Amino acid sequence: MEHNFKKKFGQNFIDNKELLDGIVSDAKIDNKSFVVEIGAGAGALTEVLAQKAKEVVSFEIDEELRPRLEALAQKHSNLRIVFADFMTQDIKEYTQNKKFCVVANLPYYITTAIISKLIKTRPQTMTIMVQKEVGERLCAKPGNSEYGAMSVICQRVAEVEIARQVPRTFFTPQPDVDSVVLHFEFNDKDLPDDFVSFLHICFRAKRKTLINNLSSGLGISKQQAVSIMGEICKPENSRAEELNADEFITLFEKCKKNKLL
Ligand code: SAM
């Protein structure tokens, strides 16, 4: 296609029909689905979504894609394109409290920011293309060296799995990295606001014990940290990477109850 691809917007477009159909099938979209897409690009995935779903709202930051995307919206009455920076938008304004699914080949330069924003709005499902290493990190289980704060956050609110591997050759222009499609099935467990900064304290020095990180990060004595670990029945030498998401929530709540946060 004729387009001046912009690296600053993370523009790597999919040019493989099988992959497009595969993503829509991973997302389990049907004619009742309300889909939010971030980054319409040239509209390749957008069009397949519009053919399958009841309604699609797709955000695109690059004004140069306007003529092509407006033509696509003319063709599909269930498609609305919003030309805006997704990060500045209030999703609720578009979804009007309806249940929705997110499907997107994300711009990789803001992957974490987009995921964090979406998690707060709690879609039903989220099916997103991300860089392979990022996908593996978000799905990593306790005990895996890739397991970190973002894995805990995602696994607290959803079942996360790698739905498919996608080699770099499936994109134009070809990126320097391989990708995976991640699929999230959300639950309704709460994610307290200050839990995220608490997790960053827990994982601050990954090689140190959790007791050490809690003590230095919260400015509490080692003895206080030892006693909190005892309350959640975890050994004193536990490291952050050994706790699952629900255990972190219990630890967080104990810290709050003891006024350590
Ligand atoms: N969906 C298309 C596809 O799969 O071929 C394009 C995907 S491309 C990886 C990411 C798209 O997101 C680009 O079209 C880019 O311009 C757009 N984008 C980048 N940052 C954005 C932002 N903050 N808000 C909305 N769209 C953005």
Side-chain angles (χ1 to χ4, degrees), residues 9-14 20 37-46 59-62 65 84-87 105-110:
F9 289 149
Q11 291 185 343
N12 299 99
F13 294 175
I14 298 173
L20 295 168
E37 183 192 21
I38 297 105
L45 182 58
T46 320
F59 295 87
E60 177 52 58
I61 198 170
D62 186 358
L65 293 160
D85 175 351
F86 174 71
M87 295 309 297
N105 171 17
L106 289 184
Y108 291 176
Y109 74 106
I110 41 170

Side-chain angles (χ1 to χ4, degrees), residues 138-153:
L138 301 189
C139 290
K141 296 289 178 222
N144 184 315
S145 61
E146 295 302 313
Y147 185 68
M150 203 57 193
S151 334
V152 177
I153 294 163

Side-chain angles (χ1 to χ4, degrees), residues 11-184:
Q11 291 185 343
N12 299 99
F13 294 175
I14 298 173
D15 59 9
N16 180 294
K17 174 75 173 124
E18 251 173 61
L19 174 58
L20 295 168
D21 290 338
I23 295 171
V24 175
S25 131
D26 295 338
K28 304 176 190 131
I29 297 304
D30 62 25
N31 59 5
K32 292 186 202 73
S33 310
F34 179 18
V35 177
V36 172
E37 183 192 21
I38 297 105
L45 182 58
T46 320
E47 178 148 41
V48 186
L49 288 169
Q51 285 160 349
K52 279 260 163 153
K54 181 170 187 212
E55 215 180 322
V56 180
V57 175
S58 184
F59 295 87
E60 177 52 58
I61 198 170
D62 186 358
E63 282 286 339
E64 232 184 277
L65 293 160
R66 189 183 273 275
R68 178 184 291 264
L69 291 172
E70 280 182 347
L72 193 62
Q74 286 285 322
K75 209 168 125 192
H76 298 278
S77 57
N78 59 341
L79 169 63
R80 173 176 180 195
I81 308 277
V82 181
F83 290 93
D85 175 351
F86 174 71
M87 295 309 297
T88 65
Q89 301 300 298
D90 178 359
I91 308 173
K92 282 204 190 106
E93 246 179 57
Y94 301 94
T95 57
Q96 310 274 331
N97 289 327
K98 281 182 273 184
K99 290 186 174 166
F100 67 100
C101 306
V102 172
V103 185
N105 171 17
L106 289 184
Y108 291 176
Y109 74 106
I110 41 170
T111 301
T112 309
I114 292 180
I115 294 176
S116 304
K117 181 178 168 108
L118 288 168
I119 278 177
K120 286 195 193 123
T121 65
R122 221 48 86 87
Q124 286 184 297
T125 62
M126 180 159 88
T127 308
I128 49 175
M129 182 90 71
V130 299
Q131 183 178 331
K132 185 174 188 218
E133 290 71 19
V134 174
E136 287 172 350
R137 215 179 307 140
L138 301 189
C139 290
K141 296 289 178 222
N144 184 315
S145 61
E146 295 302 313
Y147 185 68
M150 203 57 193
S151 334
V152 177
I153 294 163
C154 292
Q155 291 170 35
R156 166 69 182 172
V157 294
E159 288 288 326
V160 193
E161 58 167 34
I162 293 180
R164 71 178 61 229
Q165 304 278 344
V166 184
R168 63 193 74 184
T169 48
F170 282 41
F171 302 89
T172 303
Q174 191 171 306
D176 298 332
V177 293
D178 293 316
S179 296
V180 292
V181 173
L182 282 186
H183 181 73
F184 289 60

